[in-house]
Coordinates of all heavy atoms in Angstrom, one line a residue:
G1 N 100.7 96.7 83.6 CA 99.8 97.1 84.7 C 100.2 96.5 86.0 O 99.4 96.5 86.9
W2 N 101.4 96.0 86.1 CA 101.9 95.4 87.4 C 102.7 96.5 88.2 O 103.5 97.2 87.6 CB 102.7 94.2 87.1 CG 102.0 93.0 86.6 CD1 101.7 92.7 85.3 CD2 101.3 92.0 87.3 NE1 101.0 91.6 85.2 CE2 100.7 91.2 86.4 CE3 101.2 91.8 88.7 CZ2 100.0 90.1 86.8 CZ3 100.4 90.7 89.1 CH2 99.8 89.8 88.2
A3 N 102.5 96.5 89.4 CA 103.2 97.3 90.3 C 104.1 96.4 91.2 O 103.6 95.4 91.8 CB 102.3 98.1 91.2
I4 N 105.4 96.7 91.3 CA 106.3 96.0 92.2 C 106.1 96.5 93.6 O 106.3 97.7 93.9 CB 107.8 96.1 91.8 CG1 108.0 95.7 90.4 CG2 108.7 95.4 92.8 CD1 107.7 94.2 90.1
L5 N 105.6 95.7 94.5 CA 105.3 96.1 95.9 C 106.6 96.0 96.8 O 106.7 96.7 97.7 CB 104.2 95.3 96.5 CG 102.8 95.4 95.7 CD1 101.8 94.5 96.4 CD2 102.3 96.8 95.6
A6 N 107.4 95.0 96.5 CA 108.6 94.8 97.3 C 109.6 93.9 96.5 O 109.2 93.1 95.7 CB 108.2 94.1 98.6
R7 N 110.8 94.1 96.8 CA 111.9 93.2 96.3 C 112.7 92.8 97.6 O 113.0 93.6 98.5 CB 112.9 94.0 95.4 CG 112.2 94.3 94.1 CD 113.3 95.0 93.1 NE 112.7 95.2 91.8 CZ 112.4 96.4 91.4 NH1 112.6 97.4 92.1 NH2 111.9 96.5 90.2
R8 N 113.1 91.5 97.6 CA 113.8 90.9 98.7 C 113.1 91.2 100.0 O 113.7 91.6 101.0 CB 115.2 91.4 98.7 CG 116.0 91.0 97.4 CD 117.4 91.3 97.4 NE 118.0 90.3 98.3 CZ 119.3 90.4 98.8 NH1 120.0 91.4 98.5 NH2 119.7 89.5 99.6
A9 N 111.8 90.9 100.0 CA 111.0 91.2 101.3 C 111.4 90.1 102.3 O 111.2 88.9 102.0 CB 109.6 91.2 100.9
R10 N 111.8 90.6 103.4 CA 112.1 89.6 104.5 C 110.9 89.4 105.5 O 110.2 90.4 105.8 CB 113.3 90.1 105.3 CG 114.6 90.2 104.5 CD 115.7 90.7 105.3 NE 116.9 91.0 104.5 CZ 117.8 90.1 104.1 NH1 117.6 88.8 104.5 NH2 118.8 90.4 103.4
T11 N 110.6 88.2 105.8 CA 109.6 87.9 106.8 C 110.2 87.0 107.8 O 111.4 86.5 107.7 CB 108.4 87.1 106.1 OG1 108.9 85.7 105.9 CG2 108.0 87.7 104.8
P12 N 109.6 86.8 109.0 CA 110.1 85.9 110.0 C 110.4 84.5 109.5 O 111.2 83.8 110.1 CB 109.1 85.9 111.1 CG 108.3 87.2 110.9 CD 108.3 87.4 109.4
V13 N 109.8 84.1 108.4 CA 110.0 82.7 108.0 C 110.8 82.6 106.7 O 111.0 81.5 106.2 CB 108.7 81.9 107.9 CG1 108.1 81.7 109.2 CG2 107.7 82.7 107.0
G14 N 111.2 83.7 106.1 CA 112.0 83.6 104.9 C 111.8 84.9 104.0 O 111.1 85.8 104.4
E15 N 112.6 84.9 102.9 CA 112.6 86.0 102.0 C 111.9 85.7 100.8 O 111.9 84.6 100.3 CB 114.1 86.3 101.7 CG 114.3 87.6 100.8 CD 115.7 87.9 100.5 OE1 116.4 88.4 101.4 OE2 116.2 87.5 99.5
L16 N 111.2 86.8 100.3 CA 110.5 86.7 99.0 C 111.2 87.6 98.0 O 111.5 88.8 98.3 CB 109.0 87.1 99.2 CG 108.2 86.3 100.1 CD1 107.0 87.0 100.7 CD2 107.8 85.0 99.4
D17 N 111.6 87.0 96.8 CA 112.4 87.8 95.9 C 111.6 89.0 95.3 O 112.2 90.1 95.4 CB 112.8 86.9 94.7 CG 113.8 85.9 95.1 OD1 114.5 86.1 96.2 OD2 114.0 84.9 94.4
I18 N 110.4 88.8 94.8 CA 109.6 89.9 94.2 C 108.2 89.7 94.6 O 107.7 88.6 94.6 CB 109.7 89.9 92.7 CG1 111.2 90.1 92.3 CG2 108.9 91.0 92.1 CD1 111.4 89.9 90.8
I19 N 107.5 90.8 95.0 CA 106.1 90.8 95.2 C 105.5 91.8 94.3 O 105.9 93.0 94.3 CB 105.7 91.1 96.7 CG1 106.4 90.1 97.6 CG2 104.2 91.1 96.9 CD1 106.4 90.5 99.0
A20 N 104.5 91.4 93.4 CA 103.9 92.3 92.4 C 102.4 92.2 92.5 O 101.9 91.1 92.9 CB 104.4 92.0 91.1
A21 N 101.7 93.2 92.1 CA 100.3 93.2 92.0 C 99.7 94.0 90.9 O 100.4 95.0 90.4 CB 99.7 93.7 93.4
N22 N 98.6 93.6 90.4 CA 97.8 94.4 89.5 C 96.4 94.6 90.2 O 96.3 94.4 91.4 CB 97.7 93.9 88.1 CG 97.0 92.5 88.0 OD1 96.2 92.1 88.9 ND2 97.1 91.9 86.9
G23 N 95.4 95.0 89.5 CA 94.1 95.2 90.1 C 93.5 94.0 90.7 O 92.7 94.2 91.7
T24 N 93.7 92.8 90.2 CA 93.0 91.6 90.8 C 93.9 90.5 91.3 O 93.5 89.6 91.9 CB 92.1 91.0 89.7 OG1 93.0 90.6 88.6 CG2 91.1 91.9 89.2
T25 N 95.3 90.6 91.1 CA 96.2 89.5 91.4 C 97.4 90.0 92.1 O 98.0 91.0 91.8 CB 96.6 88.8 90.1 OG1 95.5 88.4 89.3 CG2 97.4 87.6 90.4
L26 N 97.8 89.2 93.2 CA 99.0 89.4 93.9 C 99.9 88.2 93.6 O 99.4 87.1 93.6 CB 98.7 89.4 95.4 CG 99.9 89.6 96.3 CD1 100.5 90.9 96.2 CD2 99.5 89.3 97.8
V27 N 101.1 88.5 93.2 CA 102.1 87.4 92.8 C 103.3 87.5 93.6 O 104.0 88.6 93.7 CB 102.4 87.5 91.3 CG1 103.4 86.4 90.9 CG2 101.2 87.5 90.4
F28 N 103.7 86.4 94.2 CA 105.0 86.2 94.9 C 105.9 85.5 93.8 O 105.5 84.5 93.3 CB 104.9 85.4 96.1 CG 104.0 86.0 97.2 CD1 102.7 85.6 97.4 CD2 104.4 87.1 98.0 CE1 101.9 86.1 98.4 CE2 103.6 87.7 98.9 CZ 102.4 87.2 99.1
V29 N 107.0 86.1 93.5 CA 107.9 85.6 92.5 C 109.2 85.2 93.1 O 109.9 85.9 93.8 CB 108.2 86.7 91.4 CG1 109.0 86.1 90.3 CG2 106.9 87.2 90.8
E30 N 109.6 83.9 92.8 CA 110.9 83.4 93.2 C 111.7 83.3 91.9 O 111.3 82.9 90.9 CB 110.7 81.9 93.8 CG 112.0 81.3 94.1 CD 112.7 81.9 95.3 OE1 112.1 82.8 96.0 OE2 113.8 81.5 95.6
V31 N 113.0 83.8 92.1 CA 113.9 83.9 90.9 C 115.0 82.9 91.2 O 115.6 82.9 92.3 CB 114.5 85.3 90.8 CG1 115.5 85.3 89.6 CG2 113.4 86.3 90.5
K32 N 115.2 82.0 90.3 CA 116.2 80.9 90.4 C 117.2 81.1 89.2 O 116.8 80.9 88.0 CB 115.6 79.5 90.4 CG 114.9 79.2 91.6 CD 115.9 79.1 92.7 CE 115.3 78.7 94.0 NZ 116.2 78.8 95.1
A33 N 118.4 81.4 89.5 CA 119.5 81.5 88.4 C 120.5 80.4 88.6 O 121.0 80.2 89.6 CB 120.2 82.9 88.5
R34 N 120.7 79.7 87.5 CA 121.6 78.6 87.4 C 122.2 78.5 86.0 O 121.7 79.2 85.1 CB 120.9 77.2 87.8 CG 120.3 77.1 89.2 CD 121.4 77.1 90.2 NE 120.9 76.8 91.6 CZ 120.4 77.7 92.4 NH1 120.4 79.0 92.0 NH2 120.0 77.4 93.6
P35 N 123.2 77.6 85.8 CA 123.7 77.5 84.4 C 122.7 77.2 83.3 O 122.9 77.6 82.2 CB 124.8 76.4 84.6 CG 125.2 76.5 86.0 CD 123.9 76.8 86.7
S36 N 121.7 76.4 83.7 CA 120.7 76.1 82.7 C 119.3 76.2 83.3 O 119.1 76.2 84.5 CB 120.9 74.6 82.2 OG 120.6 73.7 83.2
F37 N 118.2 76.2 82.5 CA 116.9 76.3 82.9 C 116.6 75.0 83.8 O 115.9 75.0 84.8 CB 115.9 76.3 81.8 CG 115.8 77.7 81.1 CD1 115.6 77.8 79.8 CD2 115.8 78.8 81.8 CE1 115.5 79.0 79.1 CE2 115.7 80.1 81.2 CZ 115.6 80.2 79.9
R38 N 117.1 73.9 83.3 CA 116.8 72.6 84.0 C 117.4 72.7 85.4 O 116.7 72.3 86.4 CB 117.5 71.4 83.2 CG 117.2 70.1 83.8 CD 117.9 69.0 83.0 NE 117.9 67.7 83.6 CZ 116.8 66.9 83.6 NH1 115.7 67.2 83.0 NH2 116.9 65.7 84.2
E39 N 118.6 73.1 85.6 CA 119.2 73.2 86.9 C 118.5 74.2 87.8 O 118.3 74.0 89.0 CB 120.7 73.6 86.8 CG 121.5 72.5 86.2 CD 122.9 73.0 86.0 OE1 123.2 73.6 84.9 OE2 123.8 72.8 86.8
A40 N 118.0 75.3 87.2 CA 117.3 76.3 87.9 C 115.9 75.7 88.4 O 115.5 75.9 89.6 CB 117.0 77.5 87.1
A41 N 115.3 75.0 87.6 CA 114.0 74.4 87.9 C 114.1 73.4 89.1 O 113.3 73.4 90.0 CB 113.4 73.7 86.7
F42 N 115.2 72.6 89.0 CA 115.4 71.6 90.1 C 115.9 72.2 91.4 O 116.0 71.5 92.4 CB 116.3 70.5 89.6 CG 115.6 69.5 88.7 CD1 115.8 69.5 87.3 CD2 114.6 68.6 89.2 CE1 115.1 68.6 86.5 CE2 113.9 67.7 88.4 CZ 114.2 67.7 87.1
A43 N 116.3 73.5 91.3 CA 116.9 74.1 92.5 C 115.8 74.5 93.5 O 116.0 74.8 94.7 CB 117.6 75.4 92.2
L44 N 114.5 74.4 93.1 CA 113.4 74.7 94.0 C 112.8 73.5 94.6 O 112.0 72.8 94.1 CB 112.3 75.5 93.2 CG 111.2 76.1 94.0 CD1 111.7 77.1 94.9 CD2 110.2 76.7 93.0
S45 N 113.3 73.1 95.8 CA 113.0 71.9 96.5 C 111.6 72.0 97.1 O 111.0 73.1 97.3 CB 114.0 71.6 97.6 OG 113.9 72.6 98.6
A46 N 111.0 70.9 97.5 CA 109.7 70.9 98.2 C 109.8 71.7 99.5 O 108.9 72.4 99.8 CB 109.3 69.5 98.4
A47 N 110.9 71.5 100.2 CA 111.0 72.3 101.5 C 111.1 73.8 101.2 O 110.5 74.6 102.0 CB 112.3 71.8 102.2
Q48 N 111.8 74.2 100.2 CA 111.8 75.6 99.8 C 110.4 76.1 99.4 O 110.1 77.2 99.7 CB 112.9 75.9 98.8 CG 113.0 77.4 98.6 CD 114.1 77.7 97.6 OE1 114.5 76.9 96.8 NE2 114.6 78.9 97.7
Q49 N 109.7 75.3 98.7 CA 108.3 75.7 98.3 C 107.5 75.9 99.5 O 106.7 76.9 99.6 CB 107.7 74.6 97.4 CG 108.4 74.6 96.0 CD 107.8 73.4 95.2 OE1 106.6 73.2 95.2 NE2 108.6 72.7 94.4
R50 N 107.6 75.1 100.5 CA 106.8 75.3 101.7 C 107.2 76.5 102.5 O 106.4 77.3 103.0 CB 107.0 74.0 102.7 CG 106.2 72.8 102.2 CD 106.2 71.7 103.2 NE 107.5 71.2 103.5 CZ 108.2 70.3 102.9 NH1 107.7 69.7 101.8 NH2 109.4 69.9 103.3
R51 N 108.5 76.8 102.5 CA 109.0 78.0 103.1 C 108.5 79.3 102.4 O 108.1 80.3 103.0 CB 110.6 78.0 103.1 CG 111.1 79.3 103.8 CD 112.6 79.5 103.6 NE 113.0 79.6 102.2 CZ 112.8 80.6 101.4 NH1 112.3 81.7 101.8 NH2 113.2 80.6 100.1
L52 N 108.5 79.2 101.1 CA 108.0 80.4 100.3 C 106.5 80.6 100.6 O 106.1 81.8 100.7 CB 108.2 80.2 98.8 CG 109.7 80.2 98.3 CD1 109.8 79.7 96.9 CD2 110.2 81.7 98.4
Y53 N 105.8 79.5 100.6 CA 104.4 79.7 100.9 C 104.1 80.3 102.3 O 103.3 81.2 102.5 CB 103.7 78.3 100.9 CG 102.2 78.4 100.9 CD1 101.4 78.6 99.8 CD2 101.5 78.2 102.1 CE1 100.0 78.7 99.8 CE2 100.1 78.3 102.2 CZ 99.4 78.5 101.1 OH 98.0 78.6 101.1
A54 N 104.9 79.8 103.3 CA 104.8 80.4 104.6 C 105.2 81.9 104.7 O 104.6 82.7 105.3 CB 105.7 79.6 105.6
A55 N 106.3 82.2 103.9 CA 106.7 83.6 103.8 C 105.6 84.5 103.2 O 105.4 85.6 103.6 CB 108.0 83.7 103.0
G56 N 105.0 83.9 102.1 CA 103.9 84.7 101.5 C 102.8 84.9 102.5 O 102.2 86.0 102.5
E57 N 102.4 83.9 103.2 CA 101.3 84.1 104.2 C 101.7 85.1 105.3 O 100.9 86.0 105.6 CB 101.1 82.7 104.9 CG 100.3 81.8 104.1 CD 100.0 80.5 104.9 OE1 100.8 80.0 105.7 OE2 98.8 80.0 104.7
A58 N 103.0 85.1 105.7 CA 103.5 86.0 106.7 C 103.4 87.4 106.2 O 103.0 88.4 106.9 CB 104.9 85.6 107.2
W59 N 103.9 87.6 104.9 CA 103.9 88.9 104.3 C 102.5 89.5 104.2 O 102.2 90.6 104.5 CB 104.6 88.9 103.0 CG 104.8 90.3 102.4 CD1 105.9 91.1 102.7 CD2 103.9 91.0 101.6 NE1 105.7 92.3 102.0 CE2 104.5 92.3 101.3 CE3 102.7 90.7 101.0 CZ2 103.9 93.2 100.5 CZ3 102.1 91.6 100.1 CH2 102.7 92.9 99.9
L60 N 101.6 88.6 103.7 CA 100.2 89.1 103.5 C 99.5 89.4 104.8 O 98.8 90.4 104.9 CB 99.4 88.0 102.7 CG 98.2 88.5 102.1 CD1 98.3 89.7 101.2 CD2 97.6 87.3 101.2
A61 N 99.8 88.7 105.9 CA 99.3 88.9 107.2 C 99.8 90.3 107.7 O 99.0 91.0 108.3 CB 99.7 87.9 108.2
A62 N 101.0 90.7 107.4 CA 101.6 91.9 107.8 C 101.1 93.1 106.9 O 101.3 94.3 107.2 CB 103.1 91.9 107.8
N63 N 100.7 92.8 105.7 CA 100.3 93.8 104.7 C 98.9 93.4 104.1 O 98.8 93.3 102.8 CB 101.3 93.8 103.5 CG 102.7 94.2 104.1 OD1 103.0 95.3 104.2 ND2 103.5 93.2 104.3
P64 N 97.9 93.4 104.9 CA 96.6 92.9 104.4 C 96.0 93.9 103.4 O 95.1 93.5 102.6 CB 95.7 92.9 105.6 CG 96.4 93.8 106.6 CD 97.9 93.7 106.3
Q65 N 96.5 95.1 103.3 CA 95.9 96.1 102.3 C 96.3 95.7 100.9 O 95.7 96.2 100.0 CB 96.5 97.5 102.7 CG 97.9 97.7 102.4 CD 98.9 97.3 103.5 OE1 98.5 96.5 104.4 NE2 100.1 97.8 103.4
H66 N 97.2 94.8 100.7 CA 97.6 94.3 99.4 C 96.9 93.0 98.9 O 97.2 92.5 97.9 CB 99.1 94.2 99.3 CG 99.8 95.4 99.4 ND1 99.7 96.5 98.5 CD2 100.7 95.9 100.4 CE1 100.5 97.5 98.9 NE2 101.1 97.2 100.0
A67 N 96.0 92.6 99.7 CA 95.2 91.3 99.4 C 94.5 91.6 98.0 O 94.0 92.7 97.8 CB 94.3 90.9 100.5
R68 N 94.4 90.5 97.2 CA 93.7 90.6 96.0 C 92.8 89.4 95.8 O 92.9 88.5 96.6 CB 94.7 90.6 94.8 CG 95.7 91.8 94.7 CD 95.0 93.1 94.4 NE 95.8 94.2 94.0 CZ 96.5 95.0 94.9 NH1 96.3 94.8 96.2 NH2 97.2 96.0 94.4
E69 N 92.0 89.4 94.8 CA 91.1 88.3 94.5 C 91.9 87.0 94.3 O 91.4 85.9 94.7 CB 90.2 88.5 93.3 CG 89.2 89.7 93.4 CD 88.5 90.0 92.1 OE1 88.4 89.1 91.3 OE2 88.2 91.2 92.0
E70 N 93.0 87.1 93.6 CA 93.8 85.9 93.3 C 95.2 86.2 93.9 O 95.8 87.3 93.8 CB 93.9 85.7 91.8 CG 94.8 84.6 91.4 CD 95.0 84.4 89.9 OE1 94.5 85.3 89.1 OE2 95.7 83.5 89.5
T71 N 95.8 85.1 94.5 CA 97.2 85.2 94.9 C 97.9 83.9 94.3 O 97.3 82.8 94.4 CB 97.3 85.2 96.4 OG1 96.6 86.3 96.9 CG2 98.7 85.2 96.9
R72 N 99.1 84.1 93.8 CA 99.7 83.0 93.2 C 101.3 83.1 93.4 O 101.7 84.2 93.7 CB 99.4 82.7 91.7 CG 99.9 83.8 90.8 CD 99.6 83.4 89.3 NE 100.4 84.3 88.5 CZ 99.9 85.2 87.7 NH1 98.7 85.5 87.7 NH2 100.7 85.9 87.0
F73 N 102.0 82.0 93.2 CA 103.4 82.0 93.2 C 103.9 81.7 91.8 O 103.6 80.6 91.3 CB 103.9 80.9 94.2 CG 103.6 81.3 95.7 CD1 102.4 81.1 96.2 CD2 104.6 81.8 96.5 CE1 102.1 81.4 97.5 CE2 104.4 82.1 97.8 CZ 103.1 81.9 98.3
D74 N 104.7 82.6 91.3 CA 105.4 82.3 90.0 C 106.9 82.1 90.3 O 107.4 82.5 91.3 CB 105.3 83.5 89.1 CG 103.8 83.7 88.6 OD1 102.9 82.9 88.9 OD2 103.6 84.7 87.8
V75 N 107.5 81.4 89.3 CA 109.0 81.2 89.4 C 109.6 81.7 88.1 O 109.0 81.5 87.0 CB 109.3 79.7 89.6 CG1 110.8 79.5 89.5 CG2 108.8 79.2 90.9
I76 N 110.6 82.5 88.2 CA 111.4 82.9 87.0 C 112.7 82.2 87.0 O 113.5 82.3 88.0 CB 111.6 84.4 87.0 CG1 110.2 85.1 86.9 CG2 112.5 84.8 85.8 CD1 110.3 86.6 86.9
L77 N 112.9 81.4 86.0 CA 114.2 80.7 85.8 C 115.1 81.5 84.9 O 114.7 82.0 83.9 CB 113.9 79.3 85.1 CG 112.9 78.4 85.8 CD1 112.7 77.2 84.9 CD2 113.2 78.1 87.2
V78 N 116.4 81.6 85.4 CA 117.3 82.4 84.6 C 118.5 81.5 84.3 O 119.1 81.0 85.2 CB 117.8 83.7 85.4 CG1 118.8 84.5 84.6 CG2 116.6 84.5 85.9
A79 N 118.9 81.4 83.0 CA 120.0 80.6 82.6 C 121.3 81.5 82.6 O 121.2 82.7 82.7 CB 119.7 80.0 81.2
A80 N 122.4 80.8 82.4 CA 123.7 81.5 82.5 C 123.8 82.6 81.4 O 124.5 83.6 81.6 CB 124.8 80.5 82.4
D81 N 123.1 82.4 80.3 CA 123.2 83.4 79.2 C 122.3 84.6 79.4 O 122.2 85.4 78.5 CB 123.0 82.7 77.8 CG 121.6 82.1 77.7 OD1 120.8 82.2 78.6 OD2 121.3 81.6 76.6
G82 N 121.5 84.6 80.5 CA 120.6 85.7 80.8 C 119.2 85.4 80.3 O 118.3 86.2 80.6
A83 N 119.0 84.3 79.6 CA 117.6 83.9 79.1 C 116.8 83.7 80.3 O 117.2 83.1 81.3 CB 117.7 82.7 78.2
R84 N 115.5 84.1 80.2 CA 114.6 83.9 81.3 C 113.3 83.2 80.9 O 112.9 83.3 79.7 CB 114.1 85.3 81.9 CG 115.3 86.1 82.5 CD 114.8 87.4 83.0 NE 114.4 88.3 81.8 CZ 115.1 89.2 81.3 NH1 116.3 89.4 81.8 NH2 114.7 89.9 80.3
H85 N 112.8 82.4 81.8 CA 111.5 81.7 81.5 C 110.7 81.8 82.8 O 111.1 81.4 83.9 CB 111.8 80.2 81.2 CG 110.6 79.4 81.0 ND1 109.8 79.5 79.9 CD2 110.0 78.4 81.8 CE1 108.8 78.7 80.0 NE2 108.9 78.0 81.1
R86 N 109.4 82.2 82.6 CA 108.5 82.4 83.8 C 107.6 81.2 83.8 O 107.0 80.8 82.8 CB 107.7 83.7 83.7 CG 106.7 83.8 84.9 CD 105.9 85.1 84.8 NE 105.0 85.0 83.6 CZ 103.7 85.3 83.7 NH1 103.2 85.8 84.8 NH2 103.0 85.2 82.6
I87 N 107.4 80.6 85.0 CA 106.4 79.6 85.2 C 105.4 80.2 86.1 O 105.6 80.5 87.2 CB 107.1 78.3 85.9 CG1 108.2 77.8 85.0 CG2 106.0 77.2 86.1 CD1 109.0 76.7 85.7
R88 N 104.2 80.4 85.5 CA 103.1 81.0 86.2 C 102.4 80.0 87.1 O 102.2 78.8 86.7 CB 102.1 81.5 85.1 CG 100.9 82.2 85.7 CD 100.0 82.6 84.6 NE 98.7 83.0 85.2 CZ 97.9 83.8 84.7 NH1 98.1 84.4 83.6 NH2 96.8 84.2 85.4
D89 N 102.1 80.4 88.3 CA 101.3 79.5 89.2 C 102.1 78.2 89.5 O 101.6 77.2 89.5 CB 99.9 79.3 88.7 CG 99.0 78.9 89.8 OD1 99.3 79.1 91.0 OD2 97.8 78.5 89.5
A90 N 103.4 78.4 89.7 CA 104.3 77.2 89.8 C 104.2 76.5 91.1 O 104.6 75.3 91.2 CB 105.8 77.7 89.6
I91 N 103.8 77.1 92.2 CA 103.7 76.5 93.5 C 102.3 76.5 94.0 O 101.7 77.5 94.1 CB 104.6 77.3 94.5 CG1 106.1 77.3 94.0 CG2 104.5 76.7 95.9 CD1 107.0 78.2 94.8
R92 N 101.8 75.3 94.3 CA 100.4 75.2 94.8 C 100.4 74.2 96.0 O 101.2 73.3 96.0 CB 99.5 74.6 93.7 CG 99.2 75.5 92.6 CD 98.2 74.9 91.7 NE 97.8 75.9 90.7 CZ 96.6 75.9 90.1 NH1 95.7 75.0 90.4 NH2 96.3 76.8 89.2
F93 N 99.5 74.5 96.9 CA 99.3 73.7 98.1 C 97.9 73.4 98.2 O 97.0 74.0 97.8 CB 99.9 74.4 99.3 CG 101.4 74.5 99.3 CD1 102.0 75.6 98.8 CD2 102.2 73.5 99.7 CE1 103.4 75.8 98.8 CE2 103.6 73.6 99.7 CZ 104.1 74.7 99.2

C-alpha cells in the first residue's frame, strides 16, 4: 500500500533518496550501501542526519499536499552481497 512519491528528490538543503507514503504515513528513506551492515550504519553521521531532516522539512514545505498524520525517517542498509536491512524511524530530533 505504499506509493513512491519521489526518488533522489533534490531540495535546496540536500537530496532525499526515496520518499514514500501510504494513507497515514510519509516516510523519507535514506539508503546506505557499504561492504557490511555495520559500515553502512556508521556512514550516517549526526551532521548528515541533520541535513536529511532539513531536506525533509524543505520537501514537505514545497509539497504540503503530501503531509500525513505521521512522518518518519527510515534507513535502508545495503551490504556488498545485496542483503538489505531497514531501520524504521531511524532518525529522530
Side-chain angles (χ1 to χ4, degrees):
W2 291 90
I4 302 296
L5 302 177
R7 289 187 176 106
R8 300 188 71 194
R10 296 182 190 273
T11 75
V13 292
E15 183 178 280
L16 298 158
D17 290 338
I18 300 169
I19 303 166
N22 67 14
T24 61
T25 307
L26 177 69
V27 180
F28 297 104
V29 181
E30 177 68 8
V31 179
K32 287 292 181 191
R34 297 290 188 275
S36 70
F37 285 141
R38 182 178 172 82
E39 291 172 273
F42 282 107
L44 190 60
S45 69
Q48 187 176 22
Q49 290 177 41
R50 288 189 299 275
R51 181 194 57 77
L52 289 168
Y53 189 84
E57 285 184 321
W59 187 87
L60 198 50
N63 298 278
Q65 71 276 18
H66 294 298
R68 299 291 195 275
E69 293 173 29
E70 178 187 2
T71 300
R72 69 174 194 251
F73 288 81
D74 290 0
V75 175
I76 297 178
L77 307 176
V78 181
D81 64 359
R84 294 178 296 259
H85 177 72
R86 181 181 66 135
I87 302 172
R88 181 183 168 152
D89 206 10
I91 301 171
R92 287 189 176 206
F93 291 93

